[in-house]
Amino acid sequence: TRFPRSHFRLSDTHAATISLRDFARYSLENEDDSPLAIYDSAFVDRNEEEKVMAEEYLIPEIFKDDLFNYYFERPPHRWILLAPERSGTGIHLDPLYTSAWLALCSGQKRWVLFPPDTDPRLIGGTTSCNNTTSLTNESSASNNDDDGNSSSNMITKESVKFFLEVYPRLKREGWGWQSEDQEGKKHQENQGCGHQNDDGDDGLVLGNDKEQQNIDTWKNSEENKILIKEKEMQKEEEEKACYNSHLGNNQQEHRRSSSFPPKMMLEILQNPGEIVFVPPGWWHAVLNLDDTASVTHNYLSRYSMRPHLVWPELCTHQPEFAPRFYRQLRRFEPDIARQLFKIHMKLRTGGEPMREKLGIPSCCWKMVEVEMPSIWEDKCPASSVDIKEAAKQLQDEEDDDDEDDELL
């Protein structure tokens, strides 16, 4: 066994560790209903011997777009996961509305995923009194999710209980990829005029030039432009509604007019060599069917980022990181920074009642406010800067500040 004497964390939320040799013995001998598992985000930070693990895998190209890379002291984002049979996590969301990917090296994992607009109470989760969207296991053994993310604010069943008690009920109630009613409706639409997209096109491939010319005329008509404008206004109203209802004290996930069918539940059986991608805001539960070894990353992609959800979460759970991250985006991604600043201004003008409704503690808000600018400045540097160079530049600046403090 490699690294037999190296100690790994059982959770990111406390300092308990176990040697790999002892954990291998525990995995073979334990008879726990929901066994302990290694969820370690510091596996490359302790010594040179273990750093080699980070060099033995590459981040897939499609997952490299990570805005958090602009700042060198980012929140925990990568984990090594060593999990015995029967371990896993109940229903939860990943932190900070990030995306996640998990690559499985050995064993099998069973996943179920639910769209963001799913009511967690219907799928085995109930929320606690404070405003959050992650989980606490009933057992005190571990409160890390199977993606490796520490979380402590969602009361939910352990993974094995979810799959033994909640999952059969969901199947009886008709949860699945698509209900029969939805399949029938989709078939009727396909037999008729087809699905209409935002441009007013019904998506059909027409058989002659005259029909295509009619479609082109419709796209350029004033009626279609009005329709598109109405859809844009509707989207803006939905975004505004998030501030009032998405993260309110009632803990309900924002109910937008969803394109997902009702009772939608995706099921995945993950085998070695396969990668599962979890979009931001998707509820999911995981069960290890065998002893498994995997690596996972959470990342904030510009393509799936929802600023109105991400910024309140950063202010709540990463108040020191949030303004520094904003400053980096201000320098290198000004368009994204402008969106975050607009949201911050709404939180500022909304006052304490709005921030309380969003679950942002006063102490955290004060930490963010002290470093945030009072107004938006139009002047900004070019954004085409290498991410590593950006982080290095900020590190050099802070080192210079430390040297100045020492001289003083």
Side-chain angles (χ1 to χ4, degrees):
T1 303
R2 299 176 65 192
F3 319 113
R5 293 181 176 82
S6 296
H7 281 67
F8 295 86
R9 292 180 182 177
L10 295 173
S11 169
D12 276 348
T13 57
H14 53 73
T17 63
I18 187 172
S19 70
L20 204 55
R21 176 179 294 172
D22 290 341
F23 182 76
R25 186 182 301 114
Y26 167 79
S27 297
L28 292 173
E29 298 174 357
N30 92 87
E31 298 180 355
D32 300 341
D33 291 337
S34 184
L36 295 168
I38 287 176
Y39 300 98
D40 197 339
S41 65
F43 67 96
V44 298
D45 300 329
R46 284 187 292 268
N47 56 59
E48 293 296 329
E49 182 184 25
E50 295 172 14
K51 282 185 178 180
V52 68
M53 287 188 284
E55 302 172 358
E56 294 182 349
Y57 71 93
L58 298 175
I59 300 175
E61 193 67 32
I62 58 174
F63 302 137
K64 286 185 177 180
D65 175 64
D66 189 354
L67 294 173
F68 283 156
N69 278 336
Y70 276 117
Y71 193 73
F72 62 95
E73 292 182 351
R74 58 178 299 165
H77 68 288
R78 59 183 174 187
W79 291 263
I80 183 173
L81 311 179
L82 304 176
E85 180 183 357
R86 299 186 307 281
S87 62
T89 54
I91 292 296
H92 67 281
L93 293 179
D94 286 342
L96 306 179
Y97 286 94
T98 54
S99 303
W101 60 268
L102 185 144
L104 185 61
C105 302
S106 62
Q108 280 189 325
K109 288 180 180 287
R110 185 175 183 182
W111 296 69
V112 290
L113 298 94
F114 302 87
D117 55 359
T118 304
D119 187 338
R121 296 173 300 176
L122 300 177
I123 54 177
T126 57
T127 51
S128 59
C129 59
N130 57 353
N131 179 41
T132 48
T133 50
S134 30
L135 95 153
T136 295
N137 284 332
E138 292 175 342
S139 167
S140 61
S142 172
N143 62 343
N144 279 61
D145 64 43
D146 203 63
D147 308 332
N149 311 303
S150 64
S151 45
S152 58
N153 306 287
M154 178 82 179
I155 303 170
T156 186
K157 294 181 181 293
E158 296 172 344
S159 176
V160 66
K161 289 186 177 181
F162 171 84
F163 280 95
L164 287 176
E165 299 174 5
V166 179
Y167 175 80
R169 171 178 63 79
L170 296 178
K171 295 297 288 185
R172 290 194 301 270
E173 294 175 356
W175 290 72
W177 167 248
Q178 195 172 48
S179 67
E180 293 182 3
D181 292 341
Q182 287 290 322
E183 289 178 352
K185 182 178 179 180
K186 182 176 180 181
H187 176 73
Q188 292 177 1
E189 290 175 345
N190 288 338
Q191 293 297 318
C193 60
H195 295 286
Q196 192 175 66
N197 60 28
D198 290 345
D199 295 330
D201 190 353
D202 60 9
L204 297 176
V205 178
L206 301 176
N208 57 63
D209 294 339
K210 184 177 181 180
E211 290 175 332
Q212 185 61 55
Q213 185 177 1
N214 292 337
I215 290 295
D216 292 338
T217 302
W218 160 250
K219 286 182 178 180
N220 297 323
S221 66
E222 289 298 323
E223 184 179 354
N224 186 48
K225 291 179 181 178
I226 293 174
L227 179 63
I228 293 174
K229 184 65 175 178
E230 289 177 349
K231 289 184 177 181
E232 290 175 350
M233 293 175 63
Q234 180 183 1
K235 185 176 180 181
E236 290 178 2
E237 290 299 322
E238 291 173 353
E239 295 290 317
K240 292 178 182 178
C242 290
Y243 295 104
N244 297 323
S245 63
H246 181 77
L247 293 173
N249 290 332
N250 57 8
Q251 296 290 321
Q252 294 299 309
E253 179 70 13
H254 173 56
R255 302 297 189 267
R256 64 186 186 280
S257 54
S258 175
S259 59
F260 300 110
K263 296 185 177 181
M264 181 177 180
M265 178 174 69
L266 302 185
E267 300 185 58
I268 299 174
L269 181 62
Q270 187 182 15
N271 294 303
E274 296 178 342
I275 296 177
V276 168
F277 168 70
V278 182
W282 278 66
W283 300 91
H284 53 289
V286 190
L287 177 67
N288 293 293
L289 303 180
D290 307 301
D291 293 349
T292 63
S294 55
V295 62
T296 184
H297 279 221
N298 277 72
Y299 68 101
L300 186 65
S301 171
R302 77 190 66 221
Y303 303 111
S304 58
M305 176 184 179
R306 300 177 69 185
H308 63 284
L309 301 180
V310 171
W311 187 248
E313 286 285 291
L314 285 173
C315 293
T316 302
H317 302 292
Q318 297 288 337
E320 294 184 358
F321 169 77
R324 299 170 187 175
F325 175 58
Y326 166 80
R327 288 203 301 270
Q328 283 298 88
L329 292 180
R330 183 69 186 85
R331 298 168 66 182
F332 306 116
E333 297 285 350
D335 292 338
I336 297 176
R338 183 185 291 272
Q339 296 179 56
L340 296 181
F341 186 78
K342 288 181 178 179
I343 294 165
H344 187 82
M345 288 300 296
K346 289 187 177 182
L347 295 175
R348 181 182 289 168
T349 57
E352 192 68 24
M354 173 179 284
R355 295 192 292 271
E356 284 183 358
K357 190 174 182 181
L358 295 175
I360 304 175
S362 297
C363 58
C364 295
W365 176 255
K366 290 177 181 177
M367 294 172 65
V368 176
E369 266 288 76
V370 73
E371 296 191 50
M372 288 294 290
S374 58
I375 60 172
W376 174 265
E377 299 176 359
D378 289 329
K379 184 179 179 181
C380 62
S383 59
S384 57
V385 178
D386 182 75
I387 287 179
K388 291 184 178 179
E389 182 63 28
K392 182 178 182 299
Q393 184 177 349
L394 185 62
Q395 175 70 73
D396 292 341
E397 290 178 2
E398 296 201 355
D399 290 342
D400 292 341
D401 292 340
D402 292 339
E403 291 177 2
D404 293 340
D405 292 340
E406 292 176 3
L407 291 174
L408 292 173

